[in-house]
């Protein structure tokens, strides 16, 4: 297995910097210095409120959130950091939409900025289904430091894997 599996899409220079931090045992210190605070969003109800507040702030006209919860079965490497599902049902002459978001349980122990990045990513799927330019523009609108947070989240996942090996 590739030791930098979370960084495969990044330039070689970034991968080399990450590899150096891992080899020197400094990746955890780097992340701890940048993101010293953990969040207290531990339950599904608190996660729903957190996601819904972001949705209300940036996506008021989007369909309502149906469910947001942590999912222990979601494997970050093989699947995703989070998942968005949309179900549309016909009720008489109206269409009803049900949106749900699942976040990997591993992020209960992550810094709040990483959780925000994942929630923003999944909420952006309410408007843009594909990972295209408009999708990433929306992510950056909701979290101006989105791209840095995505990289740092991947570094955090790498650190978690190396610390648990």
């Amino acid at each position: 297995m590739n030791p930098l599996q979370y960084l495969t899409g990044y330039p070689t220079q970034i991968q080399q910097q990450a590899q150096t931090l891992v080899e020197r045992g400094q990746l955890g210190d780097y992340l701890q210095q940048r993101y010293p605070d953990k969040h207290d969003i531990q339950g599904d109800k608190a996660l729903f409120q957190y996601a819904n507040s972001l949705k209300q702030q940036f996506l008021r006209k989007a369909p309502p959130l149906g469910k947001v919860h942590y999912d222990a079965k979601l494997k970050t490497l093989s699947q995703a950091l989070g998942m968005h599902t949309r179900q549309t049902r016909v009720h008489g002459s109206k269409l009803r939409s049900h949106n749900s978001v699942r976040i990997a349980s591993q992020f209960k122990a992550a810094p709040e900025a990483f959780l925000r990045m994942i929630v923003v990513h999944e909420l952006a799927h309410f408007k843009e289904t594909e990972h295209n330019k408009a999708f990433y523009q929306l992510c950056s609108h909701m979290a101006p430091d989105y791209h840095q947070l995505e990289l740092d989240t991947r570094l955090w996942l790498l650190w978690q894997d190396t610390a648990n090996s």
Side-chain angles (χ1 to χ4, degrees):
M1 179 164 67
N2 178 9
L4 299 176
Q5 69 265 18
Y6 297 106
L7 304 175
T8 56
Y10 286 89
T12 306
Q13 180 183 4
I14 290 177
Q15 291 184 27
Q16 289 171 344
Q17 289 173 343
Q19 184 66 41
T20 301
L21 286 172
V22 169
E23 288 170 356
R24 292 180 180 169
Q26 297 173 335
L27 184 56
D29 295 336
Y30 165 78
L31 292 167
Q32 198 73 29
Q33 184 179 6
R34 282 189 65 117
Y35 305 97
D37 299 324
K38 302 279 189 257
H39 64 81
D40 58 354
I41 304 165
Q42 297 300 307
D44 291 343
K45 186 175 181 179
L47 182 61
F48 177 86
Q49 291 171 342
Y50 179 76
N52 200 42
S53 69
L54 285 171
K55 184 200 163 297
Q56 292 304 319
Q57 185 177 355
F58 296 106
L59 301 170
R60 289 186 191 146
K61 294 183 180 180
L65 275 171
K67 187 176 186 180
V68 180
H69 65 281
Y70 287 111
D71 188 346
K73 295 178 183 175
L74 201 58
K75 301 296 179 208
T76 54
L77 181 59
S78 61
Q79 293 177 347
L81 309 179
M83 292 187 72
H84 167 254
T85 55
R86 176 182 297 140
Q87 295 176 333
T88 305
R89 296 187 183 123
V90 178
H91 288 276
S93 63
K94 296 181 180 180
L95 286 176
R96 302 265 182 194
S97 209
H98 176 82
N99 292 293
S100 65
V101 173
R102 296 179 354 199
I103 305 293
S105 293
Q106 186 173 1
F107 289 96
K108 285 183 176 182
E112 186 274 335
F114 300 166
L115 181 64
R116 178 170 33 97
M117 187 279 303
I118 295 165
V119 171
V120 160
H121 181 99
E122 297 309 325
L123 289 175
H125 280 300
F126 281 37
K127 291 234 178 217
E128 297 290 334
T129 56
E130 300 295 322
H131 292 119
N132 55 26
K133 185 176 180 179
F135 174 84
Y136 287 107
Q137 285 176 338
L138 182 56
C139 288
S140 293
H141 171 70
M142 292 190 283
D145 53 350
Y146 176 82
H147 295 289
Q148 183 64 50
L149 287 174
E150 184 176 15
L151 172 61
D152 289 345
T153 299
R154 291 175 179 281
L155 289 172
W156 182 79
L157 289 166
L158 176 64
W159 176 60
Q160 293 290 302
D161 281 0
T162 57
N164 294 330
S165 300

